[in-house]
Amino acid sequence: MAHTIDTETQTKIANTLKPILAETFQLYLLTQNVHWNVVGPLFQGVHTLTEEQYTELAPAVDEIAERIRVLGEKAPGSMKAYAALGSIEDGDENAPAETMVKALSAAHSLLASHIRPAITLAAEAGDEVTAGLLTDRLTTHEKAQWMLNAIVA
C-alpha cells in the first residue's frame, strides 16, 4: 500500500521549502552579480565558475517552486516575498574579487545550513521526492562552496 502524506504535513514541508526557494533565487542573483562585475587577476576563473553556477541555479529555482506547488501551496514569486523569506544579502558590485568570492561561499554555506533540516523533515514524513531534491541541492551547494573556497585559499 502506498504511503500518503497528510495535507498538514505537506503544508509544513512546502512552507519549509519557501525560504529555500527565496534563498536559491537570491543566490542566483548574487552569483550573476559576481559574474558580471568581478575584476582583477581572479577574473577569468571566477567569471567561468560563476557562469557554471548560475546556469545550474536557474533550473533549481523552478524545481523547488514546482515542488511547493505539488505539495499544494503557492510558490512565492516576488522580490518582496524573497526579501521577507530569504536571508542572503545583496552583493556589492564594487567589492574586490576575493570579497565577492567569500560572499558567494558564505551564501552557499547559509543555504546548505537551511537545507539540512528540511531534508530531515521531508525524510521523516516519508516525502522521498522532496528529500531527494534537497539532497541533490545540498550536494551542489557543498561542491560550489568548496570550489569557491579553493579560489581564495
Side-chain angles (χ1 to χ4, degrees):
M1 187 164 144
H3 171 77
T4 58
I5 304 167
D6 63 79
T7 304
E8 183 180 331
T9 303
Q10 285 183 335
T11 300
K12 184 176 181 181
I13 294 168
N15 286 334
T16 301
L17 288 174
K18 290 177 183 180
I20 293 169
L21 172 63
E23 290 179 342
T24 302
F25 188 87
Q26 289 171 331
L27 179 58
Y28 172 81
L29 185 58
L30 179 62
T31 305
Q32 284 280 18
N33 186 346
V34 173
H35 178 76
W36 294 327
N37 294 303
V38 67
V39 295
L42 297 178
F43 171 80
Q44 186 59 46
V46 172
H47 186 76
T48 301
L49 179 60
T50 54
E51 183 171 0
E52 292 170 12
Q53 291 178 347
Y54 77 70
T55 300
E56 189 281 331
L57 283 164
V61 169
D62 189 54
E63 290 171 7
I64 297 165
E66 287 179 354
R67 188 67 195 154
I68 292 168
R69 295 296 293 134
V70 167
L71 292 167
E73 292 291 309
K74 292 283 188 172
S78 69
M79 297 303 278
K80 182 177 179 181
Y82 293 158
L85 288 164
S87 56
I88 294 176
E89 295 185 17
D90 286 340
D92 176 2
E93 61 269 9
N94 297 309
E98 188 168 317
T99 301
M100 289 179 164
V101 170
K102 287 179 179 179
L104 267 182
S105 175
H108 280 282
S109 178
L110 179 67
L111 186 47
S113 76
H114 295 157
I115 289 172
R116 283 186 189 91
I119 292 170
T120 302
L121 173 68
E124 288 175 354
D127 183 354
E128 293 86 1
V129 174
T130 300
L133 169 68
L134 292 173
T135 300
D136 290 346
R137 296 305 320 140
L138 181 60
T139 301
T140 298
H141 294 299
E142 287 181 344
K143 183 177 180 181
Q145 185 181 10
W146 162 63
M147 294 180 104
L148 290 161
N149 288 343
I151 291 172
V152 292

